[in-house]
Amino acid sequence: MFKAELRETYKQLRHNLLIDDIENLSLEIANKLLKLPIWNASFYHIFLSITEHKEVNTDYILNILSGKDKHILVSKSDFKKGTMRHFLLTDSTLIKKNSYNIPEPVDGIEIETTKIDVVFIPLLAFDQEGNRVGYGKGFYDRFLDDCKPETIKIGLSFFEAVNRIDDCNNHDIKLDYCITPKQVYTF
Ligand SMILES: Nc1nc2c(c(=O)[nH]1)N(C=O)[C@@H](CNc1ccc(C(=O)N[C@@H](CCC(=O)O)C(=O)O)cc1)CN2
Ligand SMILES: Nc1ncnc2c1ncn2[C@@H]1O[C@H](COP(=O)(O)OP(=O)(O)OP(=O)(O)O)[C@@H](O)[C@H]1O
């Protein structure tokens, strides 16, 4: 299947979920994450969910990370450049929604992309090989490209893998894991 087609299908599937489902499924995903061998690292990047798009609610993962005293990084997106800058999330970080309804830190301590050990990635779809489909603006393609090679890339999805994404290109960086409410995929 092609990315454009998968984007439309999976946006619709997500849209059909009930608010209660989103909470329960997001909690399942957070619980599954605890089984991964990723908890010795230091810098964890996480997305702040766009609730209007019914993304996986990352609040449960944020709770795990702060319970484990990890450094948590969240981003500010530049929609003109298609790039992201990363800031430490602390008790005093002010979060404000941008015009795309993405919650973002207002300011804070900026951290270089190369410091990041683990990235949790929002997905619309993914395949059995660990390829992913996002919104198609290239934010995560560019971001993952700037990470160090050993950074662990973990997709989060309410839905299971499709067989194959047919139009992957050389910008695409594969996931190491994908977590769904039902299972952990290791690539
Ligand atoms: N929570 C979160 N943060 C993220 C992403 C994400 O997917 N989720 N991104 C991942 O790349 C980047 C932002 N990318 C985005 C790209 C497009 C739209 C957006 O609203 N696009 C359409 C509407 C989409 C729809 O129909 O559902 C629009 O332009 O109106 C939002 C975020 C960086 N931060
Ligand atoms: N490293 C990069 N540098 C510059 N442009 C890039 C890079 N990676 C991807 N792009 C561009 O960004 C767009 C992303 O398209 P693609 O179909 O790969 O989106 P996607 O798989 O949904 O990923 P994303 O979630 O990052 O948007 C393409 O136009 C591509 O040319």
Side-chain angles (χ1 to χ4, degrees):
M1 285 219 267
F2 291 96
K3 286 187 182 180
E5 192 185 340
L6 289 166
R7 266 183 209 111
E8 293 320 307
T9 305
Y10 282 86
K11 269 187 203 168
Q12 192 55 48
L13 282 175
R14 220 159 59 176
H15 182 76
N16 294 344
L17 292 173
L18 305 174
I19 303 297
D20 264 7
D21 296 336
I22 291 175
E23 293 312 302
N24 295 332
L25 298 171
S26 299
L27 182 56
E28 280 301 316
I29 290 172
N31 283 333
K32 291 245 166 356
L33 263 184
L34 289 170
K35 297 180 189 160
L36 295 188
I38 58 165
W39 298 108
N40 289 330
S42 180
F43 287 87
Y44 293 73
H45 182 280
I46 187 140
F47 61 94
L48 298 176
S49 314
I50 310 173
T51 46
E52 290 79 356
H53 289 179
K54 297 192 174 172
E55 291 188 326
V56 172
N57 181 353
T58 53
D59 286 349
Y60 304 102
I61 302 173
L62 279 163
N63 282 338
I64 296 174
L65 292 170
S66 49
K68 291 183 182 286
D69 274 337
K70 300 300 185 186
H71 295 302
I72 305 173
L73 303 179
V74 292
S75 291
K76 253 177 131 130
S77 303
D78 180 331
F79 273 80
K80 285 202 186 95
K81 296 189 192 143
T83 54
M84 292 151 80
R85 290 165 62 205
H86 319 297
F87 297 88
L88 267 184
L89 182 66
T90 69
D91 290 342
S92 55
T93 308
L94 286 178
I95 302 289
K96 198 170 173 285
K97 279 190 186 183
N98 69 14
S99 55
Y100 288 81
N101 285 319
I102 307 175
E104 293 189 329
V106 172
D107 55 20
I109 299 168
E110 188 166 354
I111 303 289
E112 282 173 47
T113 309
T114 50
K115 284 232 157 30
I116 300 174
D117 300 306
V118 178
V119 184
F120 298 105
I121 306 169
L123 302 177
L124 280 167
F126 68 104
D127 73 10
Q128 305 277 3
E129 257 93 67
N131 296 303
R132 55 166 203 98
V133 182
Y135 287 115
K137 291 200 169 18
F139 281 96
Y140 273 84
D141 281 335
R142 288 186 198 92
F143 169 28
L144 298 177
D145 194 33
D146 290 342
C147 288
K148 55 192 175 190
E150 61 269 34
T151 298
I152 302 170
K153 301 157 196 83
I154 307 175
L156 307 179
S157 170
F158 290 132
F159 308 106
E160 302 308 311
V162 300
N163 271 341
R164 202 176 112 88
I165 298 168
D166 289 312
D167 53 340
C168 290
N169 55 50
N170 50 7
H171 283 308
D172 289 329
I173 295 176
K174 286 190 193 210
L175 301 169
D176 297 297
Y177 297 100
C178 190
I179 318 299
T180 70
K182 290 210 183 98
Q183 59 177 307
V184 171
Y185 295 77
T186 305
F187 301 109

